[in-house]
């Protein structure tokens, strides 16, 4: 039993050491997305509910073009997704892992 545990631990250590370039890039881009206050505000808002670009812009008091630009960045990273209803796009978050990370970081900041 102890031998199996040691083998698993060795595999886990090797897995950590084996981060390929694509994984490193995706991780760094995700942290880049979370390093921008406007993107944080948008993601935090989309944790609560699905919203259109105009609704996000109105709620956060931002220009529609600013919101669209940030949503495009987040969509390219697959952090948000959208659905079309007629001519309107409604955005929502698309990665529960990143939302959990964001919520944990917000909670951390609030407790200090």
């Amino acid at each position: 039993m102890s031998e199996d545990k040691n083998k698993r631990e060795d595999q886990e250590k090797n897995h950590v050491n084996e981060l390929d370039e694509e994984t490193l890039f995706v991780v760094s881009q995700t942290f880049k997305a979370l390093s921008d206050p406007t993107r944080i505000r948008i993601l935090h808002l989309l944790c609560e509910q699905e919203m259109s670009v105009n609704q996000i812009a109105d709620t956060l008091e931002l220009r529609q073009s600013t919101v669209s630009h940030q949503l495009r960045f987040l969509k390219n990273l697959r952090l948000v997704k959208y659905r079309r209803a007629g001519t309107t796009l409604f955005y929502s978050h698309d990665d529960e892992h990143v939302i959990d990370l964001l919520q944990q970081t917000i909670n951390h900041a609030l407790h200090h």
Side-chain angles (χ1 to χ4, degrees), residues 1-59:
M1 183 107 168
S2 178
E3 188 176 316
D4 288 341
K5 182 180 177 186
N6 289 339
K7 187 176 181 180
R8 270 195 312 269
E9 287 175 359
D10 288 343
Q11 288 173 340
E12 289 173 7
K13 287 177 187 175
N14 287 339
H15 179 70
V16 170
N17 294 331
E18 295 177 8
L19 289 176
D20 59 70
E21 291 300 314
E22 182 180 351
T23 302
L24 288 170
F25 179 75
V26 171
V27 170
S28 68
Q29 289 297 104
T30 301
F31 279 105
K32 180 179 177 180
L34 295 176
S35 71
D36 181 85
T38 300
R39 289 191 289 264
I40 291 170
R41 292 174 69 207
I42 291 170
L43 281 171
H44 186 253
L45 189 61
L46 294 177
C47 290
E48 304 299 321
Q49 64 181 335
E50 176 184 76
M51 298 183 93
S52 71
V53 173
N54 289 334
Q55 289 172 321
I56 296 168
D58 290 345
T59 302

Side-chain angles (χ1 to χ4, degrees), residues 71-84:
L71 286 169
R72 191 174 317 111
F73 184 90
L74 294 169
K75 184 179 170 301
N76 287 340
L77 290 172
R78 294 181 295 186
L79 301 180
V80 299
K81 62 185 175 184
Y82 69 87
R83 71 172 179 85
R84 184 180 299 275

